[in-house]
Structure formats: C-alpha cells, structure tokens
Amino acid sequence: MSNDERSTLPVPDYDHLPLATLTDRIRSLDAAGLGDLIVYEEAHGAREPVLTVLRARADQLAAGAEPSGGNPAAAQPEHAPAPQGPDLGATDTPPINPPSQGVPTNPAQPR
C-alpha cells in the first residue's frame, strides 16, 4: 500500500499505534471506517490481536453501540512533541579538568 493509500485510513499512523491506543481510537469510528481498517489489516499485517479488537468493536456497532464523540486524529501522546525550553547541555560554568596523575587527598594514587 502506498503512502497515499495509508493516508486515507480513518486512523492516522494506524500501523504504528500500540494495541491499547488503537483500542481507544477506534471507538469513535463508524461501521464503514472500522470496515476499512479490518480490510487493510487482513491484507497487510493480519495481526490476530488487532483483528480481534477490530472485529469485537464491529460486533458492538452491529449490536447497536454508537461511536464515541472522540476524534481518531486527535493529539497522539505516543507522538509527543519535542520538549521546549532551555538547552539542557549548556552551562555557565567552565569545564572541570580531571586531576593530574596524583591527588594529594587520595594517598592510594601516586603523585
């Protein structure tokens, strides 16, 4: 499947989502969107745990469950933005040089 075909899936970055995250994200899909994911999964990964979750949700929808109000394309905590703030590697102190071969306060090391 090309990148263009992947971009039409109802859940962004579907192939890389952990199962627990996918379980939450599919709750907002209707039967057609869920069917698209099932067809895609059967043709590509055929991961049995994923298919089990997708089919169970399809059964719930067929039994009358309603999609939740969530958005499968909402912010994804598994893809958090890079931290903002000061450069943690920058300091105002000069570098500390290691002591020469001997240290007067440590008699175990020769001078």
Side-chain angles (χ1 to χ4, degrees), residues 6 9 11-18 76 78-79:
R6 275 192 197 106
L9 291 174
V11 178
D13 205 20
Y14 166 79
D15 290 327
H16 300 102
L17 291 177
Q76 300 175 13
E78 61 275 0
H79 298 288

Side-chain angles (χ1 to χ4, degrees), residues 13-87:
D13 205 20
Y14 166 79
D15 290 327
H16 300 102
L17 291 177
L19 186 58
T21 302
L22 178 64
T23 302
D24 290 337
R25 295 216 177 256
I26 63 170
R27 297 192 61 74
S28 63
L29 298 178
D30 60 8
L34 198 55
D36 290 345
L37 287 182
I38 291 171
V39 168
Y40 174 81
E41 184 62 34
E42 287 173 340
H44 295 88
R47 299 169 291 175
E48 196 54 42
V50 172
L51 286 170
T52 299
V53 167
L54 295 175
R55 290 176 180 146
R57 182 60 181 159
D59 291 344
Q60 292 171 352
L61 291 174
E66 294 290 325
S68 71
N71 179 359
Q76 300 175 13
E78 61 275 0
H79 298 288
Q84 300 283 325
D87 181 10

